[in-house]
Amino acid sequence: MIITTSRKPSQRTRSLANDLSRVFNVKTVNRGKTSASELLEKYKNLMVIEELKGNPNKLKIYDVENNKVFSVIIAAKLQREIISEKIDIQNSIVYDFEDNCGEFRKLFTKFLFNNIKKPIYAINTNKKDNINYTLLKFNKGCEGVYFLDFYDVNESTTTHMGPKLKITGHKIFDIFEDEE
């Protein structure tokens, strides 16, 4: 999997791309003048961060093999806005989805988790590499709003390290189908 942005991204959008690439240990590719179809020919799994008025507002996760796109509408709080110091990203990711977030667990597993190089496990398994890991916590707010937070967990502390994504909508569609 690689992460890229829409053309001519703002600094906030580039920062979110960098935050997510560090957390998931995936490569970030500068888009430049490369078209989406060229990227899809080169990479079979791709995350594109789109923006609206200079702010990241949509994540599109492409699965070329299955001709599907998982698109989520987001508002983002960047890592640098949550914590001022740099945190070393841990070797493994542990995810925790609240019970009322089952649909998102299936979608994120299918489109994102299966394409990440890092070891990634559910919180209720004993497969964690050690007691130091990155925790990806997904919970439901009110009125169909969901939150995705990233935490650094080590022997003695749990630190909210960001980014924080507020998800207000989602859709799955075919890659070459127009979004409605």
Side-chain angles (χ1 to χ4, degrees):
M1 162 147 321
I2 64 144
I3 297 176
T4 191
T5 61
S6 53
R7 290 188 173 149
K8 297 182 182 178
S10 67
Q11 180 58 46
R12 285 186 58 77
T13 301
R14 285 193 306 272
S15 291
L16 179 59
N18 291 330
D19 289 352
L20 292 175
S21 77
R22 275 194 311 278
V23 169
F24 292 127
N25 191 30
V26 296
K27 184 178 172 185
T28 303
V29 173
N30 291 330
R31 173 90 177 260
K33 294 182 180 181
T34 308
S35 70
S37 59
E38 289 174 305
L39 288 171
L40 293 173
E41 287 174 13
K42 190 171 183 178
Y43 303 102
K44 67 179 187 174
N45 296 97
L46 172 71
M47 178 189 295
V48 178
I49 302 171
E50 296 181 354
E51 64 181 47
L52 179 67
K53 297 181 181 178
N55 290 305
N57 83 319
K58 195 177 286 185
L59 294 180
K60 287 185 174 178
I61 304 170
Y62 290 80
D63 179 357
V64 174
E65 286 181 355
N66 296 309
N67 190 40
K68 295 290 182 193
V69 180
F70 175 44
S71 177
V72 292
I73 299 168
I74 62 164
K77 192 169 188 179
L78 303 174
Q79 202 170 51
R80 69 174 184 246
E81 297 167 341
I82 294 172
I83 190 163
S84 58
E85 63 197 52
K86 290 283 185 189
I87 292 180
D88 290 332
I89 304 300
Q90 303 300 332
N91 291 330
S92 61
I93 297 174
V94 174
Y95 59 86
D96 182 13
F97 284 77
E98 286 185 349
D99 291 339
N100 57 2
C101 301
E103 176 188 7
F104 276 103
R105 179 181 177 160
K106 290 176 189 171
L107 293 171
F108 273 87
T109 299
K110 178 179 179 179
F111 285 93
L112 182 62
F113 299 162
N114 290 338
N115 299 304
I116 293 176
K117 298 173 193 170
K118 275 186 171 184
I120 186 160
Y121 311 107
I123 196 154
N124 57 358
T125 65
N126 292 324
K127 294 183 179 179
K128 296 182 283 239
D129 291 342
N130 53 39
I131 53 177
N132 299 321
Y133 55 90
T134 299
L135 175 64
L136 187 154
K137 187 153 180 65
F138 200 94
N139 56 55
K140 185 175 182 180
C142 58
E143 299 179 23
V145 175
Y146 296 85
F147 295 95
L148 182 58
D149 288 292
F150 296 85
Y151 295 87
D152 177 55
V153 179
N154 62 45
E155 300 159 6
S156 59
T157 62
T158 299
T159 306
H160 188 205
M161 68 175 180
K164 180 181 183 92
L165 302 179
K166 177 181 176 183
I167 299 172
T168 57
H170 73 286
K171 181 179 179 181
I172 297 173
F173 56 93
D174 291 338
I175 287 178
F176 298 107
E177 172 186 311
D178 290 330
E179 266 189 282
E180 296 173 8

